[in-house]
């Protein structure tokens, strides 16, 4: 019975989350923020931050948080060339025109459905537990998000979404869960939600739900949220 919007973007985590959070919080205070904890994008080691900042580069010069991140994570020259609007938008022109002409995602409120069902060849791979290295820069931005949300007393919920029979990366959630504990953020762990995780027909790939799975999981998560908010 309330409106919602998916502010996430495929392949992005805490860095983009901090930039977008700063944009919408200026004009809108949500009743609840749901953060999907994704270790690889939120706080595990990477040597290239450009793919994350590329998502928010159109806002360079308009949003202080974006400029601060370029200064923190990239060379000074990267920020300098972004004074050109052509550079800010040059990789998005065709995409923007396509979406404008097709009206493909009108009314979906940020939701981009995936309709295919994958073949579970991934489960045949070695599922040895891997070692993970924390990226301190990413972790800083994740903590900034959590800290600011808490300081404004906005309700927040962290969610581990269903994955298809994958045991390889359970240890990678440790640092994120410790941060949730530090800020007293409730966590809903559905990583191994049996009714979904064991059914290949609900997945686009091993870690992404298809449209059928997403709609089913939305109903499951809504019930959890209702219970948490009405305690």
């Amino acid at each position: 019975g309330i409106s919602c919007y998916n502010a996430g973007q495929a392949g992005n985590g805490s860095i983009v989350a901090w930039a977008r959070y700063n944009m919408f919080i200026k004009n809108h205070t949500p009743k609840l923020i749901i953060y999907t904890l994704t270790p690889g994008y939120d706080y595990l080691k990477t040597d290239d931050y450009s793919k994350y900042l590329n998502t928010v580069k159109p806002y360079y010069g308009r949003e202080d948080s974006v400029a601060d991140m370029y200064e923190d994570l990239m060379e000074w020259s990267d920020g300098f060339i972004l004074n050109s609007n052509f550079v800010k938008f040059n990789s998005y022109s065709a995409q923007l025109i396509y979406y404008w002409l097709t009206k493909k995602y009108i009314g979906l409120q940020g939701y981009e459905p995936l309709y295919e069902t994958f073949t579970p060849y991934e489960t045949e791979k070695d599922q040895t537990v891997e070692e993970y290295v924390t990226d301190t820069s990413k972790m800083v931005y994740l903590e900034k998000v959590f800290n600011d949300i808490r300081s404004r007393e906005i309700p927040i919920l962290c969610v581990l979404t269903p994955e298809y029979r994958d045991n390889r990366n359970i240890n990678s959630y440790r640092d994120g869960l410790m941060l949730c504990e530090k800020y007293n953020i409730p966590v809903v762990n559905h990583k191994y939600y049996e009714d979904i995780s064991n059914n290949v027909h609900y997945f686009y790939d091993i870690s992404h739900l298809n449209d059928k799975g997403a709609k089913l999981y939305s109903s499951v998560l809504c019930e959890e949220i209702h219970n948490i908010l009405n305690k």
Side-chain angles (χ1 to χ4, degrees):
I2 58 175
S3 62
C4 61
Y5 194 89
N6 182 357
Q9 185 160 339
N12 288 278
S14 54
I15 292 174
V16 172
W18 175 240
R20 287 200 170 148
Y21 170 77
N22 277 283
M23 293 176 202
F24 72 65
I25 204 66
K26 290 179 180 178
N27 303 306
H28 179 70
T29 302
K31 294 183 175 69
L32 172 69
I33 292 175
I34 302 168
Y35 196 98
T36 303
L37 201 61
T38 312
Y41 302 133
D42 282 330
Y43 55 83
L44 293 188
K45 187 64 178 175
T46 184
D47 295 318
D48 181 15
Y49 301 110
S50 59
K51 79 163 200 167
Y52 304 110
L53 292 174
N54 188 56
T55 302
V56 295
K57 71 180 181 180
Y59 302 98
Y60 187 91
R62 295 168 52 193
E63 296 291 336
D64 291 341
S65 61
V66 175
D68 289 344
M69 286 192 297
Y70 266 91
E71 185 176 332
D72 183 30
L73 300 172
M74 304 294 286
E75 298 293 332
W76 69 269
S77 56
D78 293 290
F80 178 75
I81 64 173
L82 283 175
N83 287 299
S84 164
N85 282 332
F86 176 77
V87 175
K88 290 179 189 177
F89 290 97
N90 67 349
S91 61
Y92 293 102
S93 301
Q95 231 180 334
L96 292 170
I97 292 170
Y98 171 72
Y99 290 142
W100 179 73
L101 289 173
T102 62
K103 315 294 183 189
K104 186 176 180 183
Y105 297 121
I106 293 294
L108 289 177
Q109 299 294 88
Y111 171 57
E112 185 176 345
L114 302 167
Y115 295 106
E116 294 84 358
T117 299
F118 89 118
T119 302
Y121 62 88
E122 288 92 342
T123 58
E124 298 172 7
K125 293 181 180 179
D126 179 23
Q127 295 208 7
T128 303
V129 175
E130 302 173 16
E131 292 294 325
Y132 297 94
V133 179
T134 300
D135 188 313
T136 54
S137 294
K138 282 184 178 179
M139 184 62 94
V140 163
Y141 286 107
L142 183 61
E143 185 157 9
K144 281 185 176 184
V145 174
F146 288 173
N147 182 53
D148 198 83
I149 291 171
R150 276 309 195 199
S151 69
R152 297 173 189 268
E153 298 184 347
I154 300 170
I156 176 174
L157 181 69
C158 271
V159 177
L160 278 55
T161 55
E163 296 185 3
Y164 183 72
R165 296 181 179 179
D166 183 19
N167 297 314
R168 289 170 296 177
N169 64 348
I170 188 61
N171 288 347
S172 66
Y173 284 91
R174 181 192 61 228
D175 288 345
L177 294 175
M178 287 175 64
L179 200 61
C180 290
E181 185 176 359
K182 177 179 177 178
Y183 287 95
N184 196 28
I185 297 172
V187 176
V188 174
N189 186 353
H190 284 148
K191 180 172 165 61
Y192 302 119
Y193 188 78
E194 190 172 329
D195 290 347
I196 295 177
S197 294
N198 290 332
N199 192 330
V200 69
H201 299 294
Y202 292 138
F203 289 87
Y204 173 81
D205 59 27
I206 200 164
S207 58
H208 292 88
L209 296 164
N210 59 23
D211 184 57
K212 184 177 180 180
K215 288 175 177 174
L216 173 60
Y217 182 56
S218 291
S219 66
V220 172
L221 185 57
C222 281
E223 187 173 343
E224 289 272 9
I225 292 169
H226 179 80
N227 293 335
I228 290 170
L229 294 181
N230 289 280
K231 279 185 177 178

